[in-house]
Amino acid sequence: SDVPGPLYVAATGGCVTCCGNFKMHTFLSPNTLVVTCAGNCAGSNKVDYLVVAGGGGGTHQHSGGGGGGGYRTTFPSPACNAGSFPVTATPYAITVGGGGATNPPGPATNTPAVSGTASIFSTITSAGGGGGGGYESQAGVAGGSGGGGAANSGTGGAGNTPSIPVGVQGYGGGDGAPHSYGGGGGGGGGGVGGTAAAPTAGVGGVGAQNNIDTNNYYWAGGGGGGAHNAPGGNGGIGGGAGGGSFYCAAGTGGGSAISSGGSGGTGPSAPGGAGGTNSGGGGGSGGNVCSTGGVGGSGVVIIRYRYQ
């Protein structure tokens, strides 16, 4: 009679869905997960998480695509998917990172685009994706995944920055091509960004696939590089946006995410597409000096646990 019966994790906050014996709390904006019962080992006393940061912005003037937001997860956990991150009965503030902005268009504006911001759950922080490198050989910015390098041979930014204790949270951006053939693609949560080489700009790195919410989405795809005399790069699967092109076809946005990345434009405006909202996708680069790059997609936090 002194042996306690099974107790299960119980919590409130976010958008709550159920599948079998498990609950998922999805946070699309900053909020609080309130754990009202921490459970026990006879029932459940741990959770799994997916923490995706905001993607980096793409640049103007046929340069680098934005990197996908940092991607960290414990799902699937080894113990029969019963969770691997211990919790206590307390409120947990949830931070959902925003996507990075583009840099202003114009020949004198050669600064990199803005990086995304971090998403946070408890002790877990995913870093924002790096902004794409600006025109005239600038490097992409390092981040959860790195931004693509600018046209005229800019180097891609490093991913997994800062590094995490186990594994990686993202990959590096691709390098830009010589002259005006285009910028490199931003890195993604599942792979490096494509290096630009005639006849096309670099494609965004592939996102990482995860079934924590039973949708099996890809997350944190990289943004495609922009081009002037070549096709724009496609966005990475997982919400990465396509790059624009002045003379040729624009890149398409990456799908298979909570929302798809936008496609780039063609012609004199040739904008880069926007990263998918709450996908952590990187923004695409614009296609010429007067175009605008795309903003990065915001991030997401999902918590899953056994509740019965």
Side-chain angles (χ1 to χ4, degrees), residues 17-24 80-82 304-307:
T17 55
C18 298
C19 181
N21 294 323
F22 294 88
K23 279 187 179 179
M24 288 74 67
C80 300
N81 294 335
R304 179 185 189 269
Y305 56 87
R306 186 164 188 163
Y307 76 100

Side-chain angles (χ1 to χ4, degrees), residues 7-299:
L7 297 175
Y8 295 88
V9 174
T12 61
C15 178
V16 182
T17 55
C18 298
C19 181
N21 294 323
F22 294 88
K23 279 187 179 179
M24 288 74 67
H25 295 247
T26 300
F27 296 89
L28 305 179
S29 59
N31 206 312
T32 302
L33 177 76
V34 180
V35 177
T36 55
C37 177
N40 63 19
C41 59
S44 70
N45 58 1
K46 296 178 181 178
V47 304
D48 280 314
Y49 59 78
L50 171 69
V51 181
V52 179
T59 53
H60 71 84
Q61 201 168 352
H62 44 276
S63 289
Y71 166 92
R72 299 185 66 178
T73 188
T74 57
F75 186 84
S77 55
C80 300
N81 294 335
S84 58
F85 188 84
V87 292
T88 59
T90 190
Y92 290 87
I94 302 291
T95 300
V96 175
T102 184
N103 53 0
T109 308
N110 295 324
T111 57
V114 179
S115 298
T117 57
S119 289
I120 304 171
F121 161 62
S122 185
T123 59
I124 305 303
T125 299
S126 293
Y135 189 59
E136 297 296 350
S137 309
Q138 285 191 343
V141 182
S145 288
N152 290 345
S153 303
T155 56
N160 195 37
T161 303
S163 61
I164 59 176
V166 178
V168 297
Q169 59 178 320
Y171 293 84
D175 297 339
H179 309 300
S180 58
Y181 285 107
V192 297
T195 292
T200 188
V203 299
V206 64
Q209 192 173 22
N210 194 297
N211 199 34
I212 191 170
D213 63 351
T214 73
N215 288 309
N216 216 24
Y217 287 140
Y218 284 79
W219 304 90
H228 190 75
N229 298 322
N234 293 334
I237 188 171
S245 175
F246 185 73
Y247 287 115
C248 303
T252 58
S256 190
I258 193 169
S259 61
S260 297
S263 296
T266 58
S269 60
T277 303
N278 294 118
S279 73
S285 170
N288 66 57
V289 66
C290 297
S291 65
T292 56
V295 298
S298 52

